[in-house]
């Protein structure tokens, strides 16, 4: 029997991730904030950085869980999304998503891009 190694998922590009963020950017702008991709590691972990009013906003974990993670997880190869300065574990993020988007396993519907 010949064993075949699993093929790694393609690594997402900054362009693909920025395209996904553009879908929710109007909501970030509406609150005088923004987010950018800082890095993507070889395992598909995406690190974001918040800007503007998001820097001091106590709702950053909710923004991450409800707006950014759902659209970024739609990009092939993304395995995890974290943000600098947001210290909340993945279990709590998934719990927030279940509360915000009941009945959706992925965390929530894909936003339409409108605020």
């Amino acid at each position: 029997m010949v064993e075949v190694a699993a093929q790694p998922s393609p690594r997402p590009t900054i362009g693909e991730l920025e395209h996904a963020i553009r879908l929710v950017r109007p909501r970030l702008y509406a609150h005088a904030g923004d987010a950018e991709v800082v890095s993507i590691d070889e395992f598909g972990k995406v690190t974001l950085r918040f800007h503007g009013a998001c820097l001091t906003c106590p709702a950053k974990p909710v923004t991450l869980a409800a707006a950014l993670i759902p659209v970024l997880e739609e990009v092939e190869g993304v395995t995890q999304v974290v943000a600098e300065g947001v210290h909340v574990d993945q279990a709590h993020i998934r719990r927030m998503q279940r509360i915000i988007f009941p009945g959706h396993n992925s965390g929530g519907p894909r936003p339409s891009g409108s605020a």
Side-chain angles (χ1 to χ4, degrees):
M1 176 182 245
V2 175
E3 288 188 34
V4 178
Q7 295 295 320
S9 295
R11 187 171 165 188
T13 66
I14 294 286
E16 291 170 320
L17 298 170
E18 284 295 329
H19 176 74
I21 291 172
R22 274 196 300 265
L23 297 172
V24 297
R25 191 160 268 143
R27 288 193 245 167
L28 299 174
Y29 285 173
H31 295 270
D34 198 8
E36 72 169 317
V37 177
V38 175
S39 66
I40 313 159
D41 74 10
E42 64 270 19
F43 303 106
K45 178 180 174 181
V46 176
T47 301
L48 303 174
R49 179 178 297 139
F50 283 106
H51 293 282
C54 291
L55 290 172
T56 58
C57 181
K60 276 189 288 195
V62 176
T63 300
L64 182 65
L68 293 163
I69 290 175
V71 296
L72 290 170
E73 285 183 339
E74 293 291 322
V75 177
E76 187 175 0
V78 172
T79 59
Q80 184 181 11
V81 179
V82 298
E84 294 177 345
V86 179
H87 304 289
V88 59
D89 65 40
Q90 294 298 308
H92 286 100
I93 287 174
R94 297 297 177 216
R95 183 169 182 258
M96 280 189 279
Q97 289 174 331
R98 284 193 306 273
I99 291 167
I100 295 166
F101 305 114
H104 292 277
N105 292 332
S106 66
R110 188 176 189 137
S112 65
S114 59

